[in-house]
């Protein structure tokens, strides 16, 4: 079936370095993608989104890149801070108003 | 704006009992609410979608008689886990959307989740 998945379950980075979290999706018809941050014991928090007619979108310290050719999505976090430590999920809008979540990557920031 | 709350934030119950979890949209009318389940170190899995005033649509593999969903108003949806068992222990998260067209994506606002532990 269609799915959204991640390459790395855990990413450890030094404070101040840039982080790159990757996501692969398989539904070529998907046209909207979202990155969420989830801290322990909390619900997902919206970070940034991108539509399929774009290949890059920037926010504050975050950038999302979309490569439709290889069905790959990435989240780049600049100057990673301890507060960025969390699990990050990509989500894909496929059928109607529903979201399909990827497997998640845990980001650990070392001081 | 767009705040979604859940109550309780955590609950512990005995096996065989039923537990009700509430999801409220505090500052908007939620035409659609979604219920997700998240096991430890796993992703969010959609359980069901509910529209105000109509029956919920359950995902494949989710027992509708075990997970009762009621969306009686535009600001409240409830999930009742009936005859709970230890394997139902999980983190239950709701989201709410104000969109009126189910054929297109409308932003979902997520609640803080409810931790259910069944002894």
């Amino acid at each position: 079936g269609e799915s959204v998945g991640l390459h790395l379950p855990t990413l450890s980075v030094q404070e101040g370095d840039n982080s790159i979290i990757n996501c692969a999706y398989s539904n070529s018809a998907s046209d909207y993608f979202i990155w969420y941050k989830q801290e322990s014991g909390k619900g997902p928090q919206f970070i940034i989104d991108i539509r399929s007619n774009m290949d890059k979108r920037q926010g504050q310290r975050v950038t999302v890149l979309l490569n439709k050719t290889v069905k790959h999505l990435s989240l780049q976090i600049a100057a990673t801070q301890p507060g960025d430590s969390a699990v990050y999920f990509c989500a894909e809008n496929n059928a109607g108003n529903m979201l399909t979540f990827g497997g998640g990557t845990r980001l650990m920031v070392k001081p | 704006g767009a705040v979604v709350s859940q109550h309780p934030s955590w609950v512990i119950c005995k096996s065989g009992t039923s537990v009700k979890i509430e999801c409220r949209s505090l500052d908007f009318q939620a035409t659609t609410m979604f219920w997700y389940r998240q096991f430890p170190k796993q992703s969010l899995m959609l359980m069901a979608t509910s529209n105000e005033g109509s029956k919920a649509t359950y995902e494949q593999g989710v027992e509708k008689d075990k997970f009762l969903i009621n969306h009686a108003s535009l600001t409240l949806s409830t999930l009742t886990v009936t005859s709970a068992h230890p394997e139902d222990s999980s983190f239950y998260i709701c989201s709410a959307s104000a969109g009126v067209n189910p054929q297109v994506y409308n932003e979902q606002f997520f609640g803080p989740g409810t931790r259910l532990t069944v002894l």
Side-chain angles (χ1 to χ4, degrees):
Chain A
E2 301 291 357
S3 65
V4 180
L6 296 176
H7 298 302
L8 300 173
T10 304
L11 176 65
S12 184
V13 300
Q14 203 70 38
E15 180 179 358
D17 288 351
N18 297 334
S19 303
I20 300 177
I21 301 171
N22 297 301
C23 176
Y25 65 95
S26 56
N27 189 338
S28 56
S30 295
D31 60 1
Y32 180 61
F33 304 87
I34 307 170
W35 279 102
Y36 288 96
K37 172 185 180 182
Q38 186 180 30
E39 296 175 292
S40 181
K42 298 183 178 180
Q45 174 188 351
F46 175 93
I47 301 175
I48 192 169
D49 59 358
I50 189 168
R51 293 202 172 273
S52 60
N53 61 352
M54 304 172 69
D55 51 22
K56 180 179 180 180
R57 189 154 190 241
Q58 287 184 294
Q60 187 175 18
R61 279 203 308 121
V62 293
T63 301
V64 55
L65 299 178
L66 175 62
N67 185 331
K68 294 180 287 294
T69 303
V70 295
K71 288 181 279 190
H72 184 267
L73 194 69
S74 69
L75 175 70
Q76 300 179 0
I77 304 174
T80 313
Q81 302 169 358
D84 295 326
S85 294
V87 178
Y88 291 81
F89 294 96
C90 64
E92 167 188 19
N93 172 231
N94 38 41
N97 60 357
M98 296 193 293
L99 289 176
T100 299
F101 281 80
T105 293
R106 179 174 298 280
L107 176 64
M108 299 175 63
V109 182
K110 296 177 289 186
Chain B
V3 177
V4 176
S5 70
Q6 285 184 238
H7 178 79
S9 56
W10 60 270
V11 56
I12 301 173
C13 70
K14 293 182 179 180
S15 185
T17 61
S18 295
V19 174
K20 180 184 285 188
I21 302 170
E22 294 184 347
C23 176
R24 293 183 184 272
S25 58
L26 299 185
D27 50 5
F28 67 100
Q29 294 187 325
T31 49
T32 306
M33 286 186 171
F34 303 83
W35 286 96
Y36 297 84
R37 180 168 51 183
Q38 185 178 32
F39 292 109
K41 299 184 180 181
Q42 294 188 24
S43 187
L44 283 75
M45 296 298 295
L46 180 65
M47 300 175 66
T49 303
S50 74
N51 293 292
E52 184 266 340
S54 60
K55 290 184 179 180
T57 301
Y58 290 81
E59 294 300 298
Q60 191 173 12
V62 178
E63 301 174 57
K64 63 179 181 180
D65 294 330
K66 180 171 182 62
F67 298 99
L68 302 179
I69 292 172
N70 183 282
H71 192 166
S73 78
L74 286 171
T75 59
L76 173 65
S77 177
T78 60
L79 167 67
T80 301
V81 183
T82 63
S83 186
H85 291 284
E87 56 265 31
D88 298 322
S89 298
S90 188
F91 195 50
Y92 291 87
I93 304 171
C94 73
S95 70
S97 168
V100 296
N101 183 354
Q103 302 304 316
V104 298
Y105 179 75
N106 297 282
E107 186 172 7
Q108 293 182 27
F109 301 96
F110 286 84
T114 296
R115 172 78 57 194
L116 170 63
T117 302
V118 185
L119 302 177

